[in-house]
Amino acid sequence: MKPAEEYILNQEEPFKSILLHLQLIIEQSFPEVTLQFKWKIPFYVLEGNPFCYLNPSKKKGYVDVGFYGDHQFEKYNNLLISEGRKVVKSLRFFCLEDINAEILVYILTEANKNKVKGFWKK
């Protein structure tokens, strides 16, 4: 078993269910991604570039799907969390019901369109 998959399966609930659901959406929507374990969290790579990461915050009770991006999207900017981060934004999920696959796929697709060698156009 890959380290990232083992990490996800060893999480407490509700983090494990959230992570598994996010993994399913991401891997079905972007079949060419590769799941790796970097910086002690599950990290997706697409075409050799960073794509997104899954970061459970047990203290605060959510899972972030983070990605590099400092541009504005046409939709859903109000859902993106940056909290003082310059080039990283995230979607934050506190429970399974928070996950909207359509929004997640839209954000990741748009972020991927704007990448330049792992970072994003301004």
Side-chain angles (χ1 to χ4, degrees), residues 27-38:
E27 291 179 9
Q28 283 184 345
S29 302
F30 306 94
E32 56 282 350
V33 295
T34 303
L35 180 60
Q36 299 180 1
F37 193 67
K38 293 184 174 207

Side-chain angles (χ1 to χ4, degrees), residues 43-109:
F43 197 96
Y44 282 102
V45 174
L46 181 61
E47 299 170 356
N49 292 307
F51 183 60
C52 68
Y53 63 84
L54 307 176
N55 187 22
S57 177
K58 293 176 186 167
K59 289 182 181 178
K60 297 180 181 178
Y62 58 78
V63 174
D64 264 346
V65 176
F67 56 91
Y68 298 104
D70 63 354
H71 64 284
Q72 295 291 310
F73 298 98
E74 287 184 33
K75 302 187 287 186
Y76 310 122
N77 283 302
N78 60 318
L79 301 176
L80 298 173
I81 310 293
S82 59
E83 293 183 343
R85 300 177 284 191
K86 293 181 182 179
V87 294
V88 175
K89 293 183 181 182
S90 63
L91 291 169
R92 190 162 285 172
F93 305 104
F94 290 89
C95 62
L96 275 173
E97 294 75 27
D98 289 347
I99 301 170
N100 182 317
E102 181 180 327
I103 293 171
L104 175 62
V105 171
Y106 169 82
I107 292 291
L108 293 176
T109 299

